[in-house]
Amino acid sequence: GNSVTQMEGPVTLSEEAFLTINCTYTATGYPSLFWYVQYPGEGLQLLLKATKADDKGSNKGFEATYRKETTSFHLEKGSVQVSDSAVYFCALSDFLGNEKLTFGTGTRLTIIP
Amino acid sequence: KAGVTQTPRYLIKTRGQQVTLSCSPISGHRSVSWYQQTPGQGLQFLFEYFSETQRNKGNFPGRFSGRQFSNSRSEMNVSTLELGDSALYLCASSGGGSGANVLTFGAGSRLTVL
């Protein structure tokens, strides 16, 4: 079956540091890949997505590239801010249009001033 | 544009009781999905409804059920509650077509079973 593996948290960084959160997946076929973010007390928000190999998703300074050869979708940001503190989830959908998402366990990120 | 609205936000039940949670999707969205979020199991897919029909189902026992109404609003029901059903239940809506299946989540209903 499908699975998503994220790096273990929590992750604590200083403001303006470089961020990488690793995500690898197992799926048959050609999945769509997503990063969702959950702020305290809120539901999940879509951060970015990629629907085919070599696509790069980007939003709010965050980027992730769909690497089929390494089955990875690592999240990066060049300079984090305190407001980026949240839990980040990597997810996949096993085909375009399928609303069933398989999520990773989430990575809690804390940015200190 | 109003987001996904879930009610109630918090509720406490005792073992053996049943509970009904409600979800109002974004206007125009026809697909509603439900997820359970727990510290131990993370986010797990429960089911998805599209145009009043269950289109997909996760690996949960039959005590978990749902339905969707003609206005796309959805409810999920859990019968004979167990302690392990304590969780944040998240509803998400999407256009439901063959697009990029971008889900918009509500803030969730936090269920505590005593």
Side-chain angles (χ1 to χ4, degrees):
Chain A
N2 298 335
S3 67
V4 175
T5 303
Q6 281 183 243
M7 66 184 289
E8 292 286 328
V11 174
T12 302
L13 295 172
S14 297
E15 203 166 21
E16 299 184 3
F18 183 84
L19 168 71
T20 300
I21 300 178
N22 290 337
C23 171
T24 56
Y25 67 90
T26 301
T28 55
Y30 303 94
S32 295
L33 302 173
F34 307 84
W35 277 100
Y36 278 84
V37 58
Q38 187 175 32
Y39 297 101
E42 299 183 15
L44 279 71
Q45 301 175 24
L46 177 68
L47 183 58
L48 52 84
K49 61 178 173 62
T51 58
K52 61 183 188 298
D54 299 325
D55 267 3
K56 176 186 282 189
S58 62
N59 186 27
K60 299 181 181 179
F62 291 89
E63 292 183 340
T65 301
Y66 188 147
R67 301 286 188 200
K68 191 166 178 63
E69 64 276 13
T70 55
T71 61
S72 65
F73 193 54
H74 305 321
L75 182 68
E76 296 182 337
K77 186 175 185 181
S79 176
V80 293
Q81 305 300 312
V82 171
S83 58
D84 294 328
S85 298
V87 182
Y88 292 80
F89 293 90
C90 185
L92 71 80
S93 165
D94 57 9
F95 61 87
L96 199 62
N98 183 10
E99 317 296 35
K100 176 182 178 180
L101 298 182
T102 300
F103 284 91
T105 53
T107 302
R108 183 175 298 279
L109 173 67
T110 301
I111 307 300
I112 53 177
Chain B
K1 188 173 181 181
V4 177
T5 303
Q6 292 188 245
T7 57
R9 288 293 312 276
Y10 303 91
L11 65 166
I12 299 173
K13 294 286 187 178
T14 56
R15 279 180 299 173
Q17 287 187 312
Q18 73 162 16
V19 66
T20 299
L21 309 178
S22 179
C23 173
S24 294
I26 289 175
S27 178
H29 282 190
R30 297 166 65 189
S31 170
V32 174
S33 304
W34 289 89
Y35 289 81
Q36 182 196 63
Q37 185 177 22
T38 60
Q41 300 298 318
L43 279 153
Q44 295 186 286
F45 174 79
L46 280 156
F47 27 65
E48 183 225 346
Y49 287 86
F50 179 79
S51 293
E52 302 180 66
T53 300
Q54 187 180 87
R55 192 162 67 170
N56 215 335
K57 189 177 189 306
N59 296 321
F60 278 81
R63 299 185 297 108
F64 292 80
S65 62
R67 59 178 175 168
Q68 186 180 34
F69 302 96
S70 58
N71 61 358
S72 293
R73 190 177 70 85
S74 177
E75 289 181 347
M76 68 163 283
N77 184 79
V78 188
S79 62
T80 320
L81 284 166
E82 302 176 359
L83 295 179
D85 297 333
S86 294
L88 180 66
Y89 290 89
L90 293 167
C91 167
S93 74
S94 74
S98 59
N101 56 287
V102 172
L103 302 185
T104 301
F105 284 83
S109 293
R110 184 166 295 282
L111 170 65
T112 301
V113 182
L114 302 177

